[in-house]
Amino acid sequence: GQNIDQPTEMTATEGAIVQINCTYQTSGFNGLFWYQQHAGEAPTFLSYNVLDGLEEKGRFSSFLSRSKGYSYLLLKELQMKDSASYLCAVRDQGRGGSYIPTFGRGTSLIVHP
Amino acid sequence: EAGVVQSPRYKIIEKKQPVAFWCNPISGHNTLYWYLQNLGQGPELLIRYENEEAVDDSQLPKDRFSAERLKGVDSTLKIQPAELGDSAVYLCASSTGTPSTGELFFGEGSRLTVL
C-alpha cells in the first residue's frame, strides 16, 4: 500500500504563488496525479507525472522526484476561485498488473484578497 | 460527451435501512471505481471493476456492502443495513484503464446521511 502525506491546510494571497507538497511511500510506482476538489463537488483532474521533472499547464505546474518520493503542485497568479482542496494520488501496480490510484487526505487551500 | 452520472445526489435514511446508489460511467470506460469520502479526507477505494469483473474489493465491508456491474456498464452500490458511520459521500469514477495516463473521471457523488 501507500503512505501519502500532504499538509492539511494552507492559506495564500490572491495573485501570489503557492506550493503544495506531497510525499509518498509505495512499491510498484506508476504515476502521481493531482486533483482539485471544490467543496461539495467532484474531484477534477489537474496533472499527471510519471517521470521525474516538471510538467507545466498554464498557471499550474507539478513536479515529481521518484527517488525522493516527493511531488509538489505549484499554483501561480492565485485567484479566489483556486480556493479548494488539492488531492495528491499515487498509482501503483496492484494484483494482476492492475493500476490503482490511492488518494492522500487533501490540502485545503484558502485564497484571501 | 456526458460525464459520469450518479444518483441520487442526496439520501437521508434511518439507521438499519437499506440504500442503493447508481452510477453510469463515461461511455467506453471499462474501469469503474467506487470511492468513499468522509469530510476533510481524501477518497478511499471501496471496489474497482474491470468490465463486469470486481477486482480490488478488499476495502469493501462485505457484511453490509455489495456492488454489481452487470453487463460491464453501469453499476450499483448497496448498503444493507446502514449504520451511522456510513454517512459520507460515495463517489463513482471511471477511466479507460490504460496506464499511460488513465486519469479518473468522477461523478458528483451521492451524499448519504444516516440518522
Side-chain angles (χ1 to χ4, degrees):
Chain A
Q2 298 93 347
N3 182 14
I4 302 170
D5 190 40
Q6 51 182 132
T8 302
E9 186 175 291
M10 300 182 70
T11 60
T13 304
E14 191 175 17
I17 299 173
V18 71
Q19 177 175 310
I20 302 174
N21 296 324
C22 173
T23 59
Y24 64 89
Q25 296 174 321
T26 186
S27 57
F29 176 83
N30 190 260
L32 186 144
F33 299 86
W34 285 96
Y35 285 80
Q36 180 191 60
Q37 186 176 27
H38 286 99
E41 298 183 10
T44 55
F45 170 77
L46 288 177
S47 69
Y48 170 73
N49 296 70
V50 67
L51 299 176
D52 290 352
L54 188 68
E55 294 284 340
E56 298 186 79
K57 188 185 296 184
R59 293 189 300 114
F60 293 3
S61 302
S62 57
F63 172 83
L64 175 67
S65 169
R66 290 172 297 172
S67 62
K68 296 181 179 178
Y70 169 68
S71 173
Y72 67 73
L73 179 69
L74 192 71
L75 292 77
K76 303 176 184 176
E77 302 171 14
L78 280 173
Q79 302 174 11
M80 298 296 289
K81 68 178 183 179
D82 296 330
S83 294
S85 180
Y86 290 86
L87 301 163
C88 173
V90 175
R91 185 171 66 187
D92 70 358
Q93 190 165 0
R95 295 179 308 175
S98 60
Y99 297 88
I100 307 162
T102 300
F103 288 81
R105 63 183 299 159
T107 298
S108 178
L109 174 64
I110 301 169
V111 180
H112 55 81
Chain B
E1 178 182 298
V4 177
V5 179
Q6 291 188 246
S7 68
R9 287 292 313 276
Y10 304 93
K11 189 74 176 178
I12 301 173
I13 60 172
E14 300 277 339
K15 64 181 180 181
K16 301 184 181 180
Q17 294 299 305
V19 64
F21 306 113
W22 176 81
C23 172
N24 187 258
I26 293 173
S27 178
H29 282 192
N30 57 327
T31 306
L32 183 147
Y33 308 78
W34 283 103
Y35 281 88
L36 175 155
Q37 188 174 29
N38 288 302
L39 188 65
Q41 303 291 319
E44 300 171 31
L45 182 69
L46 289 173
I47 189 169
R48 181 176 68 90
Y49 282 91
E50 290 289 345
N51 299 304
E52 65 275 10
E53 182 181 359
V55 296
D56 301 307
D57 63 350
S58 59
Q59 301 303 312
L60 189 72
K62 297 181 182 64
D63 57 335
R64 297 184 300 108
F65 286 63
S66 64
E68 61 182 12
R69 191 184 184 196
L70 300 177
K71 302 180 181 179
V73 181
D74 56 353
S75 175
T76 57
L77 177 70
K78 298 178 181 177
I79 309 174
Q80 181 171 10
E83 297 180 352
L84 295 175
D86 296 332
S87 295
V89 176
Y90 292 84
L91 292 166
C92 179
S94 69
S95 73
T96 60
T98 58
S100 57
T101 303
E103 73 264 27
L104 272 61
F105 294 83
F106 284 89
E108 293 193 313
S110 295
R111 182 178 296 276
L112 174 65
T113 301
V114 182
L115 303 176

